[in-house]
Amino acid sequence: MRFDLTDLRLFLHIVETGSITAGAERSAMALASASARVRGMEDALGVPLLERFRRGVRPTPAGRAVVHHARLVLHQLERMRGELAEYAKGLKGHVRLLSNTAAINEFLPDALAGFLADNPSIDIDLEERPSHAIVEAVAAGLADLGVVADMVDLGGLETRPFRSDRLVAVLPLSHRLAGRDQISFADLLDEPFVGLSAGSALQDYLNGHATRAGRSLSYRVRVRGPVALCRLVERGVGVGIVPETAALRALDSGALRVMPLSDPWAPRLLVLCARNFADLSAHARRLVDSLSENAPAPL
């Protein structure tokens, strides 16, 4: 067998995305080259590593074994890079970070900008996912770190506080419910919603609460970010639920009513999670220390 690190990273990306095309894109590789590398790995082993379907791929038992060992090899490589970074100028480290909607829109941009400016030898692969999917990925070794709401089942992962976050309802000032001091999620379930795009971690979270209430949200339109959502709400398109920080930024027009949600799940603590913080690479531990600065106390 002559697998190189590019082969191993590519194979992990293919398995993580469930697609050779998406895995090739994540690896910055042409599809033809990615397919040839996978075939080369399978030829070298003499067994198929992927089951191929019309809508994607999944690993065979042999492929799952390759995934396990690829994670171990690449994790050890990152640890080596971190330990050698002090001695080897230009040696790049890589940290994979998954985040829910609230953190990726409201808190991480500023926090990561400062960290990356101070650490030019570290690259970060940042991806948005729902909190429960982040926990699964970190536990499986598919990511170094995650930022999730602490109300999700964290299993055996270690955590550190990151930021506090509260979900609020946003309504047009003329809405019949806008005069209340606070409102519950149940009070809004009959209203037309302005939501976030499919795949948004926050929208998946809200859809889950609606499902548990035996209902579903009725969307008039779905947009990519909370600021655009607020702009449509203030024009009377519907109601919405966003992080409080995003809602407060949109108050400048004076046409928006921001109302606290009375539901117990509305106030949330966002936490950093990892399988074992002490076992992270030096680059990842440095990122954890930076993101943990000025963290709030648990709710």
Side-chain angles (χ1 to χ4, degrees):
M1 293 185 299
R2 294 194 176 184
F3 298 168
D4 60 24
L5 294 175
T6 301
D7 291 331
L8 297 181
R9 285 198 183 91
L10 169 66
F11 194 74
L12 278 181
H13 290 162
I14 290 172
V15 172
E16 290 167 5
T17 59
S19 163
I20 295 178
T21 300
E25 290 176 355
R26 182 176 288 183
S27 301
M29 186 180 298
L31 176 59
S33 298
S35 298
R37 281 182 176 269
V38 173
R39 286 196 301 271
M41 295 173 70
E42 291 177 323
D43 291 343
L45 284 170
V47 294
L49 298 177
L50 295 172
E51 294 182 86
R52 294 161 171 84
F53 304 94
R54 287 186 62 187
R55 295 189 176 181
V57 297
R58 67 184 179 199
T60 64
R64 289 194 292 272
V66 171
V67 166
H68 170 72
H69 289 285
R71 288 174 185 155
L72 293 177
V73 169
L74 295 174
H75 176 70
Q76 191 60 37
L77 177 63
E78 286 302 324
R79 293 199 67 182
M80 180 188 73
R81 282 176 169 167
E83 293 173 6
L84 293 177
E86 297 180 6
Y87 311 102
K89 291 184 178 180
L91 186 62
K92 280 278 188 178
H94 179 268
V95 181
R96 185 158 191 227
L97 173 64
L98 305 181
S99 172
N100 68 0
T101 305
I104 210 167
N105 279 296
E106 303 303 322
F107 304 111
L108 282 173
D110 288 342
L112 291 180
F115 175 81
L116 291 168
D118 294 337
N119 296 273
S121 64
I122 300 177
D123 292 336
I124 297 175
D125 180 6
L126 177 62
E127 182 179 340
E128 179 183 350
R129 291 193 188 181
S131 288
H132 68 86
I134 294 171
V135 169
E136 293 172 2
V138 172
L142 298 177
D144 301 296
L145 295 167
V147 181
V148 301
D150 67 342
M151 298 183 77
V152 72
D153 182 2
L154 288 155
L157 297 183
E158 294 184 357
T159 65
R160 292 187 185 180
F162 173 56
R163 298 289 187 274
S164 59
D165 165 53
R166 177 183 293 272
L167 297 178
V168 298
V170 288
L171 296 81
L173 279 180
S174 59
H175 196 280
R176 60 185 177 82
L177 299 174
R180 297 186 182 186
D181 293 330
Q182 63 178 5
I183 197 168
S184 72
F185 185 55
D187 292 332
L188 297 171
L189 289 177
D190 290 327
E191 301 295 323
F193 262 76
V194 179
L196 295 172
S197 301
S200 159
L202 173 56
Q203 207 59 59
D204 289 345
Y205 181 70
L206 296 175
N207 288 338
H209 280 289
T211 299
R212 284 188 283 277
R215 305 288 296 279
S216 61
L217 299 182
S218 175
Y219 296 107
R220 294 208 64 200
V221 64
R222 301 180 71 164
V223 294
R224 290 187 61 85
V227 175
L229 184 154
C230 290
R231 292 289 177 254
L232 287 168
V233 167
E234 69 183 11
R235 291 176 178 270
V237 174
V239 303
I241 294 177
V242 297
E244 187 174 30
T245 50
L248 294 178
R249 286 205 315 271
L251 277 176
D252 55 351
S253 69
L256 191 70
R257 177 76 166 99
V258 177
M259 302 175 66
L261 283 175
S262 59
D263 301 85
W265 45 263
R268 307 185 298 174
L269 178 69
L270 301 179
V271 297
L272 292 161
C273 63
R275 287 194 291 180
N276 186 319
F277 286 111
D279 194 42
L280 292 171
S281 68
H283 295 114
R285 291 197 303 271
R286 193 179 305 171
L287 177 60
V288 169
D289 290 341
S290 176
L291 295 180
S292 298
E293 292 178 0
N294 303 315
L299 295 171

